[in-house]
Every structure is written in C-alpha cells, then in structure tokens.
Amino acid sequence: IVLFYITEVISKKNKNLGIFLVFIASLPLAILAGLRSLRIGTDVLVYIQPIFSLSTLVSSFSQLIQLKPDTEIGYLFLNFFISRFTSNFQLYLFILEYIIVLLFAFGLFKLRNNGSLTIGMLLFCFLLFNRSLNIARQFLAMSFVFFNLKHYFEKNNFKFIMSVIFASLFHSSSLLVLPIIYLAKVKNKILQYILYLILFLSVVYYSQILQVLVVNLGILPTKYLYFINNRVDIGINYPEEMIRAIFFLFLFGYGYFNTKFFVDSKHEMNMFMIFDFILLQLGTISLNANRIAWYFFTVYLILISRFFGQKTQSYRMISYLILYIILLLYWWWSFVYSNYGQTYPFEFFK
C-alpha cells in the first residue's frame, strides 16, 4: 500500500513514471501469491495446478483443448503459453496473480483524477486478494472487465463489449454482465422489468436450463454438460451482506446529496451497485448469481476511492479509521473465522 501511495503522489506530476511504478507496486502481492503452498486456495488443487501440469506435458495447444474441453480457451492458452517458458508452478502462480493485480491497479490508475489509487488497492487487498488466490479463472475475467470499466462509464460501448467478450475467454460468466447492464437502456419499463425477470431467473436456474437443452431437447452439444453446476443452496453469506449493505446505503445516500460525486456516470454507477445487491440476494440460492455479483461489486473500489479523494482533511482521518475497522472486520470474518477459500493461515511452499 505504501508503494501504491508513492505511485499515486508521483503520477500526479509525472504520468509515465507513475505507470512504471504501478508495475513495481504490484509486485509484492504477486510475489506473495507465487510463494504460497498448494494448500492455499481450494481451487489450486482442483484445476489450477492440474491444468498447468497438463500444459507442460502436451506438445500442442489443440491437444490441450481436446483434453480439457470444459475449460475456457483463453485460460488454456495462457497456461499453454507460460508452460512454453517454464514448468515451475510457483512462477506460474506469480504470473497469474501479477496479471490480476496489474489490471485492477491500472483500472484504478486510469480513473485516478476522480479517486485514490491507494484506497482502491487497499480495498483490493482486504476484499479481493484472498479470493483471487482461489477462483483464478474468474478473477482473470473480472480484472479484464474492471480494467475496461472506464469505457462503460464514458459510454464507449463498443470497446467495453469487446473487452467483456475477451474476458469471457477466461471465464464465461463475464458474458452475463452485458445483458444485465444494457437492459437498463430499454425505454419501455414494463418490457425492461420482464426481461430482467427472465434474465435473473436464467442466472439462478441456468444448470437446469442447460440440462433441458442438452439432454431433453438435444439442441446443444453434450460438451455443455461440463458447465452444469448442481450446487444450488449456498445459504446467506453474512460478511458479504454486511459489506454490501454498508457500502450501498452509504454511497447511495452520499451520491444523492452530493451531485458531483458520480461525476458524469451517476446512472451507470448506481446500476452497478443495484445489480450487485440484487445478485447477492439471488446468490443465497444460486452459486452462479453469487459469482456474477462480483463483477458489479468491483465498482466499490472506484466509488470508495472517489469518496476519499473528495474528502477534506478535517474529516479524512476519521473516515480512514472507520474504513479500516470495517475492512478488518470483513477480512477477519470472511477469511479467518469463516476460512473462505482456505487462504488462512497463510503457508509458504516447501
């Protein structure tokens, strides 16, 4: 965080040097991720390590695709590409995390005139870093979407749509971001609500829908059976409910009374917060809805950093103190007490 603070200060005077320092400041988190044990992150032994090991053994990319038809092609290509240079799994973990951290950091850097890079990365460390050690494919997709959020807020729809399509090469869930946010542009409200209802129901019950299309009707090929997830009832995640409720209510209220807070993207920012909150509630009965909510949750890195970027010095210290308490409580509750993703206690590789 100190390195990101130095980067933020210097970038105000020298943008090019600031860009270089983002690469340096992102290194410690990536190094920590690269030095971790295989037991840190539940998905490491499920698919991260097996796919990379397989990539080091195959002689061609097409062979890898044939062996892992259930995995997105972008993620397979990244594994195959890295495996041409090294078979060291720890180095692979470092590269993977470095890409994720860099894209989040540069996503915030591009919006630095309206926020704080330091606060944004502080939020990343407390809210997202532990998760990135676990669900690697989705975090690669999330980082690409986040990096290009500026295009959406500036209404550059073509670039944003292309970036989401590219992100889907690493995790197909990112594609659902597009219909969710662009349905907001439908002018007929009744039609809009009907389409949202259909969409959200499809998100919740997509496994059942796929099963009907593949097994019962035979419309889709059998390879789509790989994407069926039978995990439905995941219950209430109290830390997530707490952090979302606090951020949503506070920022929604603050933005209402401070018209300059959202700059020129008030509607877009509000929609991201609303979609995140709705999908989180649907996530109590569907893992898919919970996963998709994280794409929208990342907007809080921008909004909270923007809030601190606008605060006067007299209120800044107490605001920092409150934020630290909330983040520490969330981190302890999620990753220490609940042990989400098995990232605590941290273990180094041997």
Side-chain angles (χ1 to χ4, degrees):
I1 298 304
V2 174
L3 291 176
F4 281 112
Y5 175 74
I6 295 172
T7 301
E8 182 176 356
V9 172
I10 293 177
S11 65
K12 293 178 180 179
K13 298 180 180 179
N14 190 325
K15 178 183 175 181
N16 292 330
L17 182 57
I19 292 173
F20 171 76
L21 290 175
V22 169
F23 284 96
I24 302 300
S26 301
L27 280 172
L29 290 175
I31 292 172
L32 185 62
L35 294 176
R36 74 185 189 268
S37 162
L38 296 184
R39 292 192 293 269
I40 301 301
T42 52
D43 284 354
V44 172
L45 292 176
V46 173
Y47 72 83
I48 299 176
Q49 192 271 342
I51 290 179
F52 181 70
S53 295
L54 184 63
S55 300
T56 63
L57 299 175
V58 298
S59 57
S60 67
F61 182 52
S62 60
Q63 186 181 359
L64 182 61
I65 294 175
Q66 290 175 354
L67 292 171
K68 298 298 296 182
D70 57 327
T71 304
E72 287 82 353
I73 192 170
Y75 183 73
L76 290 179
F77 179 78
L78 180 63
N79 277 261
F80 182 78
F81 180 77
I82 296 174
S83 69
R84 299 307 94 181
F85 298 95
T86 181
S87 60
N88 188 303
F89 183 62
Q90 304 304 142
L91 181 58
Y92 168 75
L93 290 177
F94 163 79
I95 296 172
L96 205 63
E97 191 67 24
Y98 196 43
I99 294 171
I100 293 170
V101 177
L102 274 178
L103 289 173
F104 271 100
F106 274 115
L108 289 164
F109 186 82
K110 291 194 295 184
L111 297 166
R112 66 192 179 281
N113 293 331
N114 296 313
S116 168
L117 172 64
T118 309
I119 294 298
M121 290 310 296
L122 177 72
L123 290 164
F124 175 85
C125 289
F126 276 99
L127 303 176
L128 299 176
F129 176 68
N130 287 70
R131 291 182 180 275
S132 70
L133 302 179
N134 186 27
I135 47 177
R137 286 185 302 139
Q138 180 169 347
F139 260 85
L140 283 169
M142 284 170 56
S143 62
F144 282 118
V145 174
F146 183 82
F147 177 74
N148 289 283
L149 275 182
K150 185 179 181 182
H151 296 315
Y152 175 69
F153 297 139
E154 293 179 349
K155 300 177 178 58
N156 192 331
N157 295 320
F158 177 77
K159 286 186 177 180
F160 181 70
I161 291 172
M162 289 298 101
S163 68
V164 173
I165 293 174
F166 181 77
S168 71
L169 298 177
F170 295 88
H171 204 275
S172 56
S173 61
S174 62
L175 285 175
L176 288 168
V177 171
L178 293 177
I180 291 174
I181 60 177
Y182 284 111
L183 277 181
K185 298 182 180 296
V186 176
K187 295 182 179 180
N188 187 314
K189 293 300 179 184
I190 296 177
L191 176 60
Q192 184 186 87
Y193 295 149
I194 292 173
L195 291 174
Y196 270 128
L197 179 61
I198 294 172
L199 181 60
F200 286 138
L201 287 174
S202 300
V203 169
V204 173
Y205 297 107
Y206 100 105
S207 291
Q208 292 86 336
I209 294 171
L210 272 181
Q211 188 164 349
V212 170
L213 294 175
V214 176
V215 179
N216 299 83
L217 300 178
I219 296 175
L220 295 177
T222 55
K223 70 175 184 178
Y224 284 94
L225 290 174
Y226 287 109
F227 297 96
I228 292 178
N229 189 335
N230 293 319
R231 188 182 176 190
V232 178
D233 186 9
I234 64 174
I236 298 174
N237 189 323
Y238 291 103
E240 304 304 337
E241 294 283 352
M242 177 198 74
I243 202 77
R244 252 70 163 223
I246 292 173
F247 286 170
F248 178 78
L249 293 174
F250 174 76
L251 291 171
F252 209 86
Y254 183 78
Y256 179 81
F257 291 104
N258 186 344
T259 55
K260 296 181 180 180
F261 176 62
F262 291 105
V263 191
D264 297 322
S265 52
K266 180 176 181 179
H267 177 72
E268 288 79 6
M269 295 284 192
N270 280 337
M271 294 306 293
F272 263 64
M273 291 193 293
I274 291 170
F275 291 143
D276 170 63
F277 199 76
I278 292 174
L279 287 165
L280 181 66
Q281 309 316 308
L282 294 175
T284 60
I285 59 172
S286 168
L287 178 63
N288 307 310
N290 183 279
R291 286 287 186 90
I292 296 167
W294 283 101
Y295 290 97
F296 296 97
F297 177 77
T298 57
V299 77
Y300 287 114
L301 272 64
I302 299 170
L303 291 176
I304 297 293
S305 67
R306 182 173 293 180
F307 169 77
F308 280 91
Q310 293 184 357
K311 292 305 293 177
T312 60
Q313 191 65 36
S314 58
Y315 293 102
R316 186 168 293 176
M317 292 308 297
I318 190 169
S319 299
Y320 279 141
L321 179 61
I322 294 172
L323 179 64
Y324 284 136
I325 292 173
I326 293 173
L327 293 178
L328 280 171
L329 177 60
Y330 170 85
W331 184 85
W332 175 85
W333 197 349
S334 293
F335 305 113
V336 179
Y337 179 74
S338 300
N339 197 21
Y340 172 82
Q342 297 179 6
T343 59
Y344 181 89
F346 190 86
E347 295 180 14
F348 291 97
F349 82 101
K350 296 178 182 180

